[in-house]
């Protein structure tokens, strides 16, 4: 038979396309030739695959089924299969029959695409959930008011106040979403300038004080390094990030608790810290809380008087991390459940201090703020 011709044609195809996720099989679905990437996927050298059945080589029933259908029905068949270690990657598969003599199988990795689709689906589901809660309260309150069931002015005022509060939460959610999408799309335009970290801290403290007072939490400012230190940052965004951290620290503190906000020079960056002695975060969640919409447990948050939790969307930390990264910095947390949390963001120095210059043994590595 003319298998040699087939093989030659296959090799020519491989060399032309560079699409080495290709397989050639005979009419009994035994591998005749495999491209390098296909062999890697099967975790065997390409030569070792030759003669193996498709199902033995890849252990994938869907892949086998696509191939079988193409063979028996003599037509091009497309499908999908999970391949690789533990089926961790998704592939689009096309099986092209070769006139009863076998098949060419082409595999195309669609894992990234599938991941994106999942992220988008989760996002829409989360968002609908976050919107529904306050909308339901507003509807209920408004219906009660218009039904005339409430006639004393004090209760009516109270209802209107609640409606306003829910609307504020919705507005905050929309603002956070807009912020997040601007930052994520890379459209964020940072107004970078050398900033005094003391001023960044002071402006965030000024904004958190009223909230802290209402929740009976003290705010303490910790002194930073001596001398003149400048970070290269966007004043508005940095103080927004610190404010988000401070907001959480207050929200998850116990009454009478204390939140400490400070900064220090660490290497070529300034590390801003927000520490609390609140409920802390179980270790299993610490990696995930920076994801958008991720919340440890709604019921654990303290709700100060007149506050509802529908305003807690789980977006604050996602914004913090994005702001830090947009500054070529980082954000993180150390926390012990039941003891407290210290959140931090590191932002590069505008000009290296004497200390960091001595430590790194060279001049400015950041090259900015001249
Ligand atoms: N200081 C903290 N102490 C304990 N848990 C915290 C602290 N900060 C954040 N968390 C946990 O991380 C989750 C995510 O925080 P994030 O700021 O992103 O969302 P949120 O505060 O719930 O809502 P939003 O900030 O959008 O109003 C919180 O829901 C909470 O479970
Ligand atoms: Mg928050």
């Amino acid at each position: 038979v003319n298998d040699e011709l087939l093989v030659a044609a296959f090799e020519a195809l491989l060399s032309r396309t560079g699409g080495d996720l290709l397989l050639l099989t005979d009419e009994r679905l035994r591998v005749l030739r495999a491209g390098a990437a296909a062999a890697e996927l099967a975790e065997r050298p390409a030569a070792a695959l030759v003669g193996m059945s498709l199902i033995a080589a890849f252990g994938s029933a869907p892949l086998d089924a696509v191939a079988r259908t193409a063979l028996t029905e003599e037509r091009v068949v497309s499908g999908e299969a999970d391949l690789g270690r533990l089926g961790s990657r998704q592939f689009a598969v096309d099986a092209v029959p070769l006139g009863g003599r076998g098949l060419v199988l082409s595999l195309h990795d669609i894992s990234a695409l599938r991941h994106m689709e999942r992220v988008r689906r989760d996002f829409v589901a989360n968002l609908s959930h976050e919107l529904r809660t306050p909308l339901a309260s507003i509807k209920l309150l408004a219906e009660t008011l218009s039904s005339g069931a409430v006639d004393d002015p004090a209760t009516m005022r109270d209802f209107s106040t609640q409606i306003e509060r829910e609307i504020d939460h919705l507005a905050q959610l929309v603002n956070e979403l807009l912020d997040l999408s601007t930052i994520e799309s890379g459209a964020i335009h940072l107004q970078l300038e050398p900033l005094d970290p003391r001023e960044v801290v002071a402006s965030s403290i000024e904004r958190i004080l009223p909230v802290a007072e209402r929740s009976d939490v003290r705010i303490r400012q910790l002194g930073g390094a001596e001398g003149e230190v400048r970070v290269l940052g966007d004043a508005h965004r940095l103080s927004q990030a610190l404010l988000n951290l401070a907001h959480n620290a207050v929200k998850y503190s116990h009454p009478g608790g204390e939140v400490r906000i400070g900064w220090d020079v660490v290497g070529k960056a300034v590390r801003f810290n927000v520490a609390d002695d609140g409920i802390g975060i179980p270790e299993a969640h610490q990696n995930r809380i920076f994801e958008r919409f991720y919340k440890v447990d709604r019921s654990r948050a303290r709700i100060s008087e007149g506050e509802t939790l529908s305003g807690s969307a789980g977006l604050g930390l996602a914004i913090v991390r994005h702001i830090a990264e947009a500054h070529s910095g980082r954000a993180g947390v150390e926390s012990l459940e039941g003891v407290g949390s210290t959140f931090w963001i590191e932002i590069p120095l505008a000009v290296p201090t004497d200390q960091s210059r001595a430590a790194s043994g060279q001049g400015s590595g950041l090259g900015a703020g001249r």
Side-chain angles (χ1 to χ4, degrees):
V1 279
N2 235 341
D3 271 358
E4 271 148 48
L5 187 62
L6 273 187
V7 170
F10 180 76
E11 307 255 287
L13 185 64
L14 260 189
S15 68
R16 293 285 306 174
T17 57
D20 51 358
L21 271 167
L22 283 174
L23 287 169
L24 177 67
T25 73
D26 64 12
E27 73 287 354
R28 291 167 60 195
L29 292 183
R30 286 177 309 207
V31 176
L32 286 176
R33 276 290 184 283
E40 199 184 306
L41 202 59
E43 298 186 318
R44 288 189 174 84
L49 281 180
V50 175
M52 284 182 82
S53 70
L54 197 58
I55 187 83
F58 291 92
S60 164
L63 179 65
D64 204 56
V66 168
R68 261 171 219 294
T69 315
L71 260 191
T72 49
E73 298 182 7
E74 278 286 325
R75 62 180 179 90
V76 178
V77 177
S78 305
E80 281 186 21
D82 296 343
L83 302 172
R85 202 174 278 276
L86 302 172
S88 52
R89 289 161 69 191
Q90 288 90 52
F91 287 84
V93 183
D94 294 299
V96 184
L98 303 168
R101 303 252 299 285
L103 291 174
V104 171
L105 283 162
S106 140
L107 306 175
H108 179 62
D109 193 336
I110 51 169
S111 312
L113 186 69
R114 288 285 174 272
H115 176 72
M116 293 266 297
E117 287 170 357
R118 221 164 22 243
V119 168
R120 197 196 41 135
R121 254 197 323 272
D122 287 355
F123 179 77
V124 173
N126 282 324
L127 182 56
S128 332
H129 173 81
E130 294 303 332
L131 290 174
R132 248 199 317 263
T133 320
L135 281 175
S137 324
I138 292 171
K139 181 146 172 60
L140 194 69
L141 290 162
E143 271 173 6
T144 315
L145 278 180
S146 61
S147 73
V150 180
D151 46 15
D152 87 284
T155 313
M156 286 169 82
R157 255 197 314 278
D158 181 46
F159 274 36
S160 324
T161 313
Q162 284 186 52
I163 291 178
E164 274 175 42
R165 202 151 45 218
E166 293 294 349
I167 290 174
D168 284 346
H169 286 324
L170 280 174
Q172 189 202 334
L173 176 64
V174 170
N175 284 336
E176 285 185 342
L177 278 171
L178 280 177
D179 267 349
L180 203 57
S181 78
T182 326
I183 300 172
E184 281 186 341
S185 68
I188 180 176
H189 188 69
L190 292 182
Q191 306 248 309
L192 292 182
E193 54 183 328
L195 301 171
D196 188 339
R198 296 168 192 87
E199 279 167 24
V200 177
V201 167
S203 87
S204 315
I205 288 185
E206 194 178 271
R207 288 164 70 189
I208 196 64
L209 270 179
V211 183
E213 247 161 55
R214 254 188 291 142
S215 306
D216 188 24
V217 170
R218 261 168 306 133
I219 301 286
R220 190 144 67 94
Q221 179 168 359
L222 301 184
E226 299 278 299
E228 189 181 294
V229 177
R230 294 286 180 271
V231 285
L232 191 62
D234 180 309
H236 169 68
R237 294 292 184 182
L238 274 191
S239 109
Q240 180 192 4
L242 269 193
L243 186 66
N244 282 2
L245 294 181
H247 223 280
N248 284 346
V250 169
K251 185 157 68 173
Y252 300 103
S253 279
H254 305 291
E258 181 185 80
V259 168
R260 295 168 296 281
I261 306 181
W263 62 279
D264 247 310
V265 176
V266 176
K268 288 184 189 176
V270 163
R271 180 187 277 232
F272 294 95
N273 299 294
V274 178
D276 65 63
D277 312 314
I279 60 176
I281 302 155
E283 199 173 341
H285 296 281
Q286 287 178 16
N287 257 331
R288 303 208 51 198
I289 48 174
F290 288 89
E291 293 170 16
R292 29 182 209 194
F293 293 116
Y294 193 87
K295 286 170 281 198
V296 175
D297 178 4
R298 285 176 155 262
S299 63
R300 300 186 326 144
R302 264 186 72 209
I303 308 172
S304 57
E305 209 177 327
E307 217 182 313
T308 66
L309 255 186
S310 54
S312 170
L315 293 174
L317 288 177
I319 293 173
V320 168
R321 176 158 281 178
H322 277 294
I323 290 177
E325 286 172 1
H327 281 85
S328 310
R330 304 186 298 153
V333 63
E334 274 117 48
S335 182
L336 210 55
E337 193 178 3
V339 175
S341 313
T342 301
F343 281 84
W344 54 264
I345 42 181
E346 274 183 18
I347 303 296
L349 288 168
V351 278
T353 61
D354 292 341
Q355 280 167 353
S356 75
R357 194 174 305 153
S360 67
Q362 59 184 41
S364 166
L366 296 159
R370 273 157 291 175

